[in-house]
Amino acid sequence: MLNTSLVVFLQLGAIAILALYVAANLGANDVANSMGTSVGSKALTLRQAIIVAGILEFAGAVLFGQGVSETLATGVVNEEMFAAKPQVFLIGMVSVLAACGLWLQIATSLGLPVSSSHAVVGAIAGFSWVAAGIHAVDWPTIGRISLTWVATPFASGALAALFYSGVKHWILDRPDPLFQLREWIPWLSAALLSVFGIIVLPSVVDVALVQTGAIDFARDRFGWNLPIHDIAIAIGSIAAIGLSLNSWKKLEKEEGRGKKEEGRRKKEEGRGKKEEGRGKREEGRGKREEGRGKREEGRGKKEEGSLTTDFVTDFTGVTDRKNKQEEIFSPSPPLPLRHSSIEQQMARFQVLSACFVAFAHGSNDVGNAVAPLAAIVYIQRTGSFPLEDFNVPLWILVLGGAGIVIGLAIWGQKVIATVGENIIKLEPSGGFCAELATATTVLLASRLGLPVSTSHALVGAVVGVGLIKGWKSVRWKTLQSIGSAWVVTIPIAAGLGASIFSIAQWILVK
């Protein structure tokens, strides 16, 4: 017979596999939050996006996942209802993992971006209602989350429309867009690093300087009193200056390459005109030969037949040569070199913003997959209901990060295609504005303490860019499917959580 410790170990192993399954589905569905627009605008290939997202999502989850909402597991329930029965709450958390994993896999298989946070909240609410009654659910929290269905995409869409209108008016639609881009590069760099720097840099500075004791050492050894916020601002400023200088350098190279290409095309055009003139001369020569043949025609019927055959053959050959020459040397329509160079530069900004989003997503949303597992481990270890200050162990963060990477590598392409390609046709300039608007919306909501979904914000931002391009450019049928998935996420997750909990409780009690 197995001893108690081995049974507990096997139980935790099975639950850890379940959490890995949830994290994989979360990675598959939510990877579009960071990489969907980059793939849709062709700033990154699908393979490049998966590799970049995998590295940064894992790094964010493991290095900074400790700072995620560790109270997610207890924030939707009334703690008093479960404080005396932690084992019931443990069964409920297992049900939450199973319910979230199932719903996220269904949504991902359909290519629909949904909110993993809403799925977790819905599953917790569903099992809590069944386990301890309607008063076990914190309904005001559910109400605030439901309001974000409307507020988040509209706010993000408005910001994206504002950003893209500015880029379109001040850069893309100007007579000399390259000159305008050169003027605006410092402002774009500052906007990019301001928004994403506020999201990422405080956590980086805290881990790199505060938790390692570097700040205390500098104060004790040299008397330097370095404010954390000033350090983050200084790093962001240096990065913005460096990004501006590098962008100017890249733009100069693109301009030089564009001028060479334009000169080469002009040479080809001149060569084509020369060949066209040569063809016309050949045509004239053919006509003269034809006239000569007609004069020779009167000399005799024998010569008429042979000469006519020869000259018709010669004339046909000349005409064929002319047609071939026109086909080979006719100048191709000029490429929009200026806008091509602008979009290439905007693609670099977009890739950088996508990296920030992937890192931030890994550090924040990994809690949706591992917080229930952390609560289960806490109950198994202490035998009591998890308090608000319980910690997520490192091995659980590694498990969550690994699951995210596995999921986005295996299934991530479907949701990426929906967000990046099936709503509107994106260029890097539009994709950059959509990502910047998404990050700004999530950042402002976090500062106000409002629960928002990155998926909702990104879809709203993409639509905002599409409306500036023209409302006909938006594929409304795709949006209808996405909106339906948003509306049913909490009810379906709640129903799955309640059903799985009821079955599990019936099996265990029996």
Side-chain angles (χ1 to χ4, degrees), residues 234-286:
I235 294 174
S237 300
I238 294 171
I241 293 172
L243 180 60
S244 298
L245 294 175
N246 182 262
S247 298
W248 278 327
K249 185 177 179 181
K250 295 286 186 182
L251 190 60
E252 288 179 1
K253 289 183 178 179
E254 291 295 335
E255 286 180 324
R257 189 178 298 117
K259 289 179 180 178
K260 289 182 180 179
E261 186 65 28
E262 187 175 358
R264 187 180 299 114
R265 192 172 57 253
K266 287 182 178 179
K267 287 182 180 179
E268 292 292 336
E269 185 177 352
R271 188 180 304 153
K273 289 181 178 179
K274 288 181 180 179
E275 294 296 333
E276 184 179 359
R278 187 180 303 156
K280 288 181 178 179
R281 290 194 297 271
E282 292 288 336
E283 184 178 358
R285 187 179 302 144

Side-chain angles (χ1 to χ4, degrees), residues 292-510:
R292 187 180 303 154
K294 287 182 179 180
R295 287 193 300 271
E296 293 292 333
E297 182 179 356
R299 294 180 180 179
K301 291 184 177 180
K302 289 184 179 181
E303 294 181 357
E304 177 186 2
S306 60
L307 287 174
T308 301
T309 303
D310 291 341
F311 288 127
V312 168
T313 302
D314 180 65
F315 173 72
T316 305
V318 171
T319 304
D320 289 342
R321 285 199 301 274
K322 179 206 171 207
N323 291 336
K324 290 180 180 179
Q325 289 164 356
E326 288 181 346
E327 180 181 351
I328 295 172
F329 294 105
S330 59
S332 58
L335 297 173
L337 289 175
R338 292 181 175 182
H339 281 281
S340 176
S341 298
I342 290 172
E343 293 298 344
Q344 287 178 8
Q345 182 59 52
M346 296 299 290
R348 297 187 183 96
F349 281 109
Q350 187 184 4
V351 170
L352 186 59
S353 66
C355 291
F356 279 123
V357 173
F359 187 88
H361 176 264
S363 63
N364 289 318
D365 282 17
V366 69
N368 296 334
V370 301
L373 176 60
I376 292 169
V377 172
Y378 184 93
I379 294 172
Q380 288 280 37
R381 181 169 54 84
T382 65
S384 60
F385 184 82
L387 302 175
E388 291 186 358
D389 59 347
F390 82 100
N391 295 320
V392 178
L394 180 62
W395 70 269
I396 292 181
L397 295 175
V398 173
L399 181 76
I404 288 174
V405 174
I406 292 171
L408 66 88
I410 298 176
W411 303 305
Q413 64 270 19
K414 286 193 174 183
V415 182
I416 284 178
T418 298
V419 174
E421 300 174 0
N422 295 342
I423 299 178
I424 66 169
K425 183 179 179 181
L426 277 172
E427 292 83 27
S429 55
F432 169 72
C433 292
E435 288 183 357
L436 191 63
T438 300
T440 304
T441 303
V442 174
L443 174 64
L444 291 175
S446 300
R447 288 290 178 263
L448 296 174
L450 300 175
V452 296
S453 166
T454 309
S455 301
H456 292 192
L458 184 65
V459 170
V462 172
V463 174
V465 172
L467 291 177
I468 298 300
K469 286 174 168 288
W471 67 272
K472 290 184 178 180
S473 67
V474 181
R475 297 183 178 94
W476 298 104
K477 187 175 181 180
T478 301
L479 277 183
Q480 183 179 1
S481 300
I482 294 173
S484 300
W486 288 356
V487 172
V488 302
T489 290
I490 284 185
I492 286 182
L496 287 172
S499 301
I500 295 172
F501 173 79
S502 299
I503 295 171
Q505 193 176 39
W506 177 77
I507 293 174
L508 293 175
V509 170
K510 184 178 179 181

Side-chain angles (χ1 to χ4, degrees), residues 114-136:
V114 297
S115 171
S116 57
S117 302
H118 291 183
V120 172
V121 168
I124 293 175
F127 100 79
S128 299
W129 192 343
V130 172
I134 191 172
H135 297 292

Side-chain angles (χ1 to χ4, degrees), residues 180-248:
Q180 290 297 116
L181 177 61
R182 190 181 295 107
E183 295 291 317
W184 276 88
I185 276 177
W187 298 102
L188 293 174
S189 300
L192 173 65
L193 290 167
S194 294
V195 174
F196 290 101
I198 293 173
I199 295 175
V200 176
L201 280 180
S203 299
V204 174
V205 171
D206 181 68
V207 171
L209 300 179
V210 178
Q211 296 185 20
T212 59
I215 292 291
D216 294 335
F217 175 79
R219 185 179 60 250
D220 298 339
R221 183 71 174 81
F222 304 104
W224 296 346
N225 189 12
L226 302 175
I228 300 300
H229 294 295
D230 290 351
I231 294 175
I233 292 173
I235 294 174
S237 300
I238 294 171
I241 293 172
L243 180 60
S244 298
L245 294 175
N246 182 262
S247 298
W248 278 327

